[in-house]
Each structure stands twice: as C-alpha cells, then as structure tokens.
C-alpha cells in the first residue's frame, strides 16, 4: 500500500510519469520545471525502473528524443519552461501533424509574474498555434493525475498533449497519496510508414485535415470536460476558471459566501475548449467571468465580447499573476458585493540579488572591465546575468544570443569604421545549449570580439544539473564527455585559452591578451574555468582557500563593495570602513587584488 508523501508539484508530476508507465523522459533544466526530470531520476532509482532519463543539450533535442520513443510505441515525455518551448517549437509543431503512437506528453511550465524568466508568455498560445490539446492543473495532486489523463488522451487520438503547470503549481507542496508503480510492459517497435513519419508537403495537407478532425473529437471527450464545482448554485452569472486561478477561485467563493449562488466551472482542458460547454454556458448565463493565466485563451474561444468579462474586456488584468487577493476583488465586483480592502504589505528594504560570495563569475566580470573598460558587453541567460550589477552586462536577450549579438554589434560598428571592444559572456551549459551555431557563424563572417565562456562545471541557476562536459547525467549516471576546448577550435576559432578567474592578476592579463587579439586578428575565446562555489556535486579539485583580513589602511573608499560587490565585504557605517562578514566569506581571496590601497591582506592558509 502506498504511503502519503509531501511532494513538490514537480516531484508529483515526476511520480505521475512513472505511475503511468513512461519509459523515456528528456529535459533541459529551466525554472520552474527543473525538478521534474530530477524527480523522475529519483523515482526511477527508488523503484528500479528500466527507463531512459536524460538531461538533453537543449529543449529541441529533448523533445525530439522523447518523440522518437513515442513513434516507437513507448510512453514518453519532455519537460521544459515556457521559453524553452520556443526552442522546441519546430519539432513541436510538426509532431502535431505526424501524430504519435505511444502517449507523448510535453510538459511546459509557465511563469506568470514572471519570477525567473525573460517573459511571462502563455504556452497555451503555442499549443493553440500547433493545434495540440492542453491540460491545465490547479495543484500538485491534480498535476499528477493529469499526467495519466494526458497519456490516455494522447493515445486515444494519437496526438501530442501539453501539460501546462505554472510556477505556483510546480513549486507548491502538497500531501499526496501516490499510485502504484510498475515497470512498463511495452517494447519499442518502430513500424516504418514514410507516408506518415516522413510526410512530404503534399501529404501534410491531408495530415492537417486529420488533425482538425482529432481536435473536434477531443473537444467532445468526456474525461476532460469542464466541471461544475457547486451544482447547487443557480445564478444567471458564472465564473469559468482554469489552472491555479481555479484553485484560488474555489477558496474565494467560500470566503465570500457565494458557494450556493455563483456557479464556478473548472476547465482542465482550456484548449480545445469543449464545444458543447461553450454552447451551454453561453445559453445558460447572462454574464461570464473568465479567470486564467496569463492570456485569454478560453475567453478567445468563448467569443462573446458582450457577456464575457475577462482580459479582452479589460475586467481582468492582462499582465502578472492572478493572486488570491486579486481574484477576491474580481469575483466580488462581478457578484456585486463589497469586500474590505486589505492593506498593501509594506515594502521591505533589502539587498539586490547578487552573485554568491566566492563566485568565480565575479572575478571574470571584474577582469573583463579592466581589459576592455569602454567595451560593449553582450551576455546571456544564467546566474551570471547578475554581472549587470558589476557593469559587465549590457544585453540579455535569450539563450545563445550573447554570441550572435556580439557579432551583430561588430558588423554594425564596422560599417561606421570604428569598432569598440566587444566582450560577450556565456555560461558553459548555455554554450552547449545554443552557443555553438552562432560561434560558427561569427568565425565564418570574421566577426572580431572576445567570447568568455564562464565554465563553472554546472548548470548553476537551475539547481546544479550536469553539463555535457562533466561525464555524468541525470541521477548521477555516467556519460561520455565533450571537450569544450576541442569543440571551440573545431568551430574555427584560432585563439582559445583557459584561465582561472580566482587568480585575478593572471586572468586579467589573459583577458587583455584576448582583447588585443580580437582587435587585429579575429575572434578570441577565453574559457574562465573554476567550479561553482555552492555546487557540492563537483568532484574535481577546488582552488586553495586564502583567508584574508582588512588592515588599518582601509579608508572606506568602498571601491571593493561597489566595483567588486562581494556580499562578504560590508561597509560599516559606524566605523566608516569595510569589514568582512566571516559567516558567508568563502576564503576565495580574490578581494586581495581588488583593493586599490592594498588594505585587504592574506593572513595565512
């Protein structure tokens, strides 16, 4: 008999995958979805399941690997964050036309807010464009349940299915009674059918017609039909909600005393919205309030601008999360009752986000600024984006864009005849994910800049997942390794050197050498190699610890706290000087080379 477990939403979905007999899971880490694959690896080891579980090099590759397993008849899934779906959009769109054999689940975790993303885009719009049905869970428990429902829906109509949790579902904890787990009894058998699996444009038209027929049937599939949560309510106005907004609305309904009067419909399949439901709700109710994050996908399908109150009508905010407090106000206004306004919480002052004490990226940015003080600094997606605090990051667009934008800045300025120094930064995991194609392009087009690959031997921002260079994968399984330097040189780069940022004088000298090379000879790559200070899984050697102290030579100029910004260096207002916070200092010793008065001294091993 299963035992109850307190599970994170991502862990609950991971358990749902193994319960449902999923055989192949591939992912690329990205908050809020990162713990799904690591959860699958955990359950795979715990239950001794024969599965393939991998951190792929990017989301496109992850989706294609899992989809191939589905084509061979196995249940398969891929997980990513909403902007990762952009990377995987090409195979995602095509897979909808070709269909599936084994159940295929695309878990795209959205980030309304956004809390940790470039955008708060709605993955349901991508599903609508691809013509892929979407399931929208309101809680960790329902997310686990919808995994199985998603596989069943996928196999019933031979179509990919999207499961779209949001941050509040992914990162919520819930007491859950998981179902039984058993190894899948399926064997992979790929049945060749070029007219389907390798369909040419002539046959894609027919596949598109079949896809539309599938959607029409899915819009009548009873297991995913909307649910009236309070059948006794008889008012001529109703609330239609999906996802976490439905969970909030259910609680608010009780708090406002409206459970017996205001009908609340929960939609678990926001696309395609059930055809009969659309007809019935427009016939039964005079006004309809639609609550959904973040775009009006259901509202679009209801298509009645006069009776429907939602985002398109301006009644519901189009930006940000729908918090319980906001939903309470919306439902009260919709029902025509007044509620006491809760005072807004007082804003608390705090320190802005910054790189960890001892982070090697801090030294890298410091050296970059010294080597190219008037340069342009394109950067990328990762914890090193916080180099903006150090003045070492000018642009952040998307994964891999640092390299492309560096080339773009070079070509743009070259047209004017005067090219500034350009130093781009990209993380090691991001480089493998999306940095290689633009690097090849930059070499071919003779773009001259410096690319610094910040190699801290992990995917740090999303939870220290492995990179292709480390030799281990999901769950600690051994893998082959990729030689980063060899890969860079294979792209045609002539200048490729490795340095340790913690040795600041030597690394600064290396950066100056690279900048000089880029000015006259071509693209230069510097690999800043030093392990992440908080990654406890790192198995190699770490730099020696260097204990430091601040001498009486400190005059409180704050150069170390403003230009280097290590959290362990704190300006003491009473003493008018800088002191060391020994609770968080990692003894990296880099600050010895930062103080212009040499007031920070090494005091022993």
């Amino acid at each position: 008999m299963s035992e109850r477990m307190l599970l994170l939403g991502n862990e609950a979905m991971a358990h749902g995958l193994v319960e449902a007999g999923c055989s192949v899971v591939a992912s690329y880490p990205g908050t809020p979805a990162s713990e799904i694959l690591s959860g699958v690896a955990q359950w795979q080891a715990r239950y001794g399941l024969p599965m393939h579980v991998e951190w792929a090099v990017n989301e496109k590759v992850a989706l294609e690997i899992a989809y191939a397993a589905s084509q061979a008849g196995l249940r398969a899934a891929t997980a990513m964050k909403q902007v990762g779906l952009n990377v995987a959009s090409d195979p995602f769109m095509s897979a909808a036309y070709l269909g599936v054999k084994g159940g295929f689940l695309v878990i795209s975790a959205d980030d309304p807010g956004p809390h940790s993303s470039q955008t708060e885009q709605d993955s349901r719009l991508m599903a609508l464009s691809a013509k892929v049905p979407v399931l929208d869970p309101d809680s960790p428990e329902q997310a686990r349940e919808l995994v199985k429902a998603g596989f069943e829906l996928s196999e019933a109509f031979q179509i990919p299915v999207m499961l779209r949790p949001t941050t509040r579902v992914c990162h919520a904890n819930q007491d859950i009674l998981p179902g039984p787990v058993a190894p899948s009894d399926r064997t992979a058998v790929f049945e060749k059918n070029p007219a389907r699996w390798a369909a040419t444009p002539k046959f894609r038209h027919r596949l598109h017609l079949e896809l539309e027929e599938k959607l029409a049937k899915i819009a009548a599939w009873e297991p995913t039909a909307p649910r009236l949560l309070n059948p006794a309510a008889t008012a001529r106005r109703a609330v239609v909600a999906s996802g976490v907004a439905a969970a909030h609305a259910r609680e608010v309904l009780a708090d406002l005393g409206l459970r017996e009067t205001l009908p609340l419909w929960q939609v678990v399949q926001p696309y395609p919205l059930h055809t009969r439901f659309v007809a019935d709700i427009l016939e039964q109710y005079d006004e309809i309030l639609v609550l959904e994050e973040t775009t009006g996908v259901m509202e679009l399908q209801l298509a009645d601008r006069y009776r429907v109150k939602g985002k398109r009508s301006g009644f519901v905010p189009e930006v940000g999360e729908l918090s319980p407090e906001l939903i309470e106000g919306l439902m009260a206004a919709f029902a025509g009752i007044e509620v006491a306004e809760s005072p807004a919480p007082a804003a608390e002052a705090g320190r802005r986000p910054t790189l960890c004490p001892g982070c090697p990226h801090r030294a890298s940015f410091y050296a970059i600024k010294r080597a190219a003080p008037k340069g342009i600094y394109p950067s990328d997606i990762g914890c090193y984006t916080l180099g903006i605090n150090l003045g070492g990051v000018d642009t952040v667009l998307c994964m891999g864009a640092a390299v492309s934008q560096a080339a773009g800045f070079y070509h743009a300025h070259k047209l004017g005849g005067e090219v500034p120094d350009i130093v781009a930064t990209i993380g090691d995991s991001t480089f493998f994910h999306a940095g290689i194609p633009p690097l090849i392009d930059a070499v071919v087009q003779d773009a001259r800049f410096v690319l610094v690959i910040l190699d801290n031997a992990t995917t740090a921002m999303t939870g220290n997942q492995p990179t292709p260079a480390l030799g281990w994968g999901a769950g600690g399984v051994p893998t082959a390794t990729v030689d980063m330097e060899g890969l860079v040189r294979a792209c045609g780069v002539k200048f490729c050197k490795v340095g340790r940022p913690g040795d600041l004088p030597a690394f600064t000298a290396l950066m100056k050498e690279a900048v000089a090379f880029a000015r006259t000879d071509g693209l230069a790559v510097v690999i800043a190699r030093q392990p992440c200070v908080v990654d406890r899984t790192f198995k190699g050697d770490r730099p020696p610890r260097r204990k430091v102290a601040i001498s009486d030579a400190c005059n409180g100029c704050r150069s170390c706290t403003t230009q280097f910004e290590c959290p362990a260096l704190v300006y003491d207002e009473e003493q008018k000087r800088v002191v060391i916070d020994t609770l968080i200092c990692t003894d990296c010793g880099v600050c010895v080379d930062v103080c212009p008065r040499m007031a920070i001294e090494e005091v022993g091993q």
Side-chain angles (χ1 to χ4, degrees), residues 355-594:
L355 295 167
C356 300
C359 176
H361 299 339
R362 178 176 285 104
S364 294
F365 283 116
Y366 193 83
I368 288 168
K369 289 280 290 182
R370 294 305 176 269
K374 296 182 179 179
I376 299 175
Y377 311 122
S379 194
D380 228 291
I381 305 299
C383 53
Y384 51 89
T385 302
L386 291 169
I388 192 171
N389 295 349
L390 304 170
V393 170
D394 290 327
T395 69
V396 179
L397 181 62
C398 63
M399 297 284 277
V403 189
S404 310
Q405 289 195 289
F409 285 128
Y410 172 80
H411 295 308
H413 284 86
K414 185 182 178 183
L415 293 174
E418 186 173 343
V419 181
D421 294 328
I422 302 169
V423 183
T425 48
I426 189 171
D428 48 345
S429 183
T430 309
F431 174 70
F432 287 120
H433 176 285
I436 298 167
L439 180 60
I440 294 171
D441 185 85
V443 170
V444 170
Q445 300 297 329
D446 194 27
R448 301 185 179 187
F449 60 90
V450 179
L451 173 64
V452 181
I453 302 176
L454 302 167
D455 183 5
N456 62 354
T458 188
T459 311
M461 186 173 69
T462 54
N464 295 118
Q465 293 84 10
T467 76
L470 294 183
W472 58 276
V477 176
T479 65
T481 60
V482 175
D483 175 12
M484 182 182 289
E485 295 94 302
L487 182 56
V488 169
R489 294 191 180 99
C491 291
V493 175
K494 305 303 181 187
F495 184 110
C496 177
K497 296 189 177 183
V498 180
R500 183 171 68 84
D503 186 351
L504 190 56
F507 190 76
T508 303
L510 174 58
M511 283 303 309
K512 289 180 178 179
E513 181 187 357
V515 169
F517 182 92
R519 287 171 181 165
T520 58
D521 296 303
L523 195 152
V525 172
V526 172
I527 300 175
R529 180 163 290 154
Q530 187 169 322
C532 173
V533 71
V534 299
D535 181 13
R536 300 307 173 198
T537 64
F538 181 72
K539 300 175 177 65
D541 295 329
R542 293 186 180 273
R545 300 181 68 165
R546 302 167 61 196
K547 196 159 188 66
V548 300
I550 299 178
S551 72
D552 291 338
C554 176
N555 66 349
C557 72
R558 305 195 196 192
S559 176
C560 61
T561 58
T562 58
Q563 300 300 311
F564 194 59
E565 203 182 78
C566 177
L569 297 173
V570 182
Y571 183 75
D572 188 312
E573 293 287 351
E574 291 186 3
Q575 299 184 49
K576 303 299 180 185
R577 55 173 290 167
V578 172
V579 297
I580 296 174
D581 185 344
T582 57
L583 289 176
I584 62 174
C585 178
T586 62
D587 297 335
C588 71
V590 177
C591 56
V592 168
D593 301 304
V594 170

